[in-house]
Each structure stands twice: as structure tokens, then as C-alpha cells.
Amino acid sequence: MSMLEEIKEDIKKRCESPNNFFGPGSYEHIKSVAKNAVELAELYKADVEVCEIAGWLHDIASVTDYKLYEKHHIHGAAMAEAILKKYNYPENKIELVKLCILNHRGSVLKEKRTIEEICVADADAISHYDALPALFYLAFVQRKLNIDAGTEFVRNKLERSYNKMSKQSKEYYKAKRDLIKTIFE
């Protein structure tokens, strides 16, 4: 089994664990981030492999232990480094993966200096549009919100996510955003 396949299996197990606060739907979110990171990397001529690996590992800390959530970007970068070193992954690429994970969060505004960081951050933001069931699970099951509050939570999360993307990605994903917005009308 390849390194990437083993990483995917590891992430899937962590997402399916009863200890994962975000529930098994978090796997769909992570899978979507990886898919969109590859798509954007190809579009923007970034390192596709780095973006895909960072996409798979970007939330590893938060699905492993909810106590790490507030700083999951920091813990996740360290966890990714340890995992990738076991595979003798090139050090320069490990550093790029770590940067992508450190800077993927829209709520933690850090300057993105590489195109790979932009790809992964934008992929994380748009993935919420692909993984709506996971957002509804978070709103209604985990946070126990009523129908109005839960719907508003999801709508606001989607809007915040879209607004955090780069200008290029906003244009690229505008049709997807507009389509999903119709659900809330």
C-alpha cells in the first residue's frame, strides 16, 4: 500500500472513531478538501502531491482529539511531520505540507506565502459546500441547535468560508456557491 493510501486509511479510522467529536461525516469533509486541493493545485500550477497530502492531513489533530481543536492547525502540522518522516518523505516537501496545515484555517488569518497554502486553504473553505451533511450533523446533532438556529449556523459557516477564499477561487467556485445558496431560500 502506498504512503497516500495508508494516510487515507489512518484518517478514515480516526474519523470513524467514537471519540471523534465531529462524527464520521468529517471524513467526507477531509476527502473533499483533498479532492479540491488537487483540483486547485492543477489549476494554479502548484505541487499537486503536497496539496493532496496536506488536504488529507489538515484536520488530523481535531478528528483525533477535540481538545486540540482550537490549535489543531499547529498540532496537525506536528502530527503530519511525524507521519511523513516515517515514510522518508522529502524534508522540503514536509515543510510545505506543514505550511499548508498551519495556514489552512480561515479563522486564523496568516499570510499565505506559497500557492500550495492558498490551494489547501481554499479547498478547505469550499469543501463545506461539498459536505453539507457533515455541517448539518455538527449543527443539529453535536451542537443540538433547533431548526432555525441550525440552519442559520450552516448558512453563516458557508458564507464565512466562501468569503475567506482567494479572489481567484471565489470566481472559480461561484456557480457552486450560488447553487448551494438556493437551498436556503
Side-chain angles (χ1 to χ4, degrees):
M1 189 182 299
S2 72
M3 174 187 74
L4 188 58
E5 292 304 316
E6 288 184 19
I7 288 171
K8 289 178 187 181
E9 283 298 312
D10 180 34
I11 294 299
K12 187 169 187 163
K13 286 178 187 166
R14 291 172 195 252
C15 289
E16 292 173 347
S17 167
N19 298 326
N20 175 15
F21 173 82
F22 298 99
S26 57
Y27 182 76
E28 295 306 315
H29 162 70
I30 292 169
K31 185 167 73 170
S32 173
V33 172
K35 174 188 74 83
N36 284 303
V38 166
E39 185 176 323
L40 291 173
E42 290 170 349
L43 184 69
Y44 300 151
K45 309 288 188 251
D47 186 318
V48 174
E49 181 183 68
V50 164
C51 291
E52 184 172 19
I53 291 169
W56 280 105
L57 293 172
H58 81 285
D59 278 348
I60 190 169
S62 60
V63 299
T64 301
D65 185 349
Y66 185 68
K67 292 179 199 136
L68 303 177
Y69 176 72
E70 281 304 313
K71 294 187 178 187
H72 78 275
H73 55 297
I74 296 167
H75 297 291
M79 292 169 81
E81 179 177 29
I83 289 167
L84 295 173
K85 280 186 174 188
K86 288 180 189 172
Y87 290 100
N88 295 314
Y89 196 62
E91 192 64 41
N92 63 324
K93 289 193 174 219
I94 290 174
E95 290 306 313
L96 264 177
V97 169
K98 286 172 51 183
L99 274 175
C100 292
I101 295 169
L102 281 168
N103 296 320
H104 82 273
R105 294 186 71 186
S107 60
V108 178
L109 298 176
K110 289 186 155 190
E111 182 183 354
K112 292 160 188 61
R113 291 172 271 138
T114 69
I115 194 67
E116 289 79 12
E117 291 170 84
I118 293 167
C119 290
V120 174
D122 288 355
D124 185 40
I126 200 61
S127 73
H128 298 116
Y129 287 78
D130 293 342
L132 277 177
L135 275 182
F136 284 116
Y137 177 89
L138 182 60
F140 297 123
V141 177
Q142 292 304 104
R143 297 189 179 213
K144 300 182 183 347
L145 299 173
N146 67 34
I147 192 74
D148 292 331
T151 302
E152 189 65 19
F153 169 84
V154 172
R155 181 183 309 143
N156 289 338
K157 175 71 172 170
L158 291 170
E159 197 60 24
R160 283 191 317 273
S161 293
Y162 184 80
N163 288 333
K164 291 172 186 170
M165 286 193 295
S166 67
K167 184 179 178 185
Q168 294 165 291
S169 293
K170 282 181 185 174
E171 290 173 19
Y172 184 72
Y173 287 119
K174 186 180 182 317
K176 182 184 284 193
R177 175 193 182 225
D178 292 346
L179 180 64
I180 297 297
K181 279 180 76 170
T182 65
I183 293 170
F184 296 95
E185 293 173 357

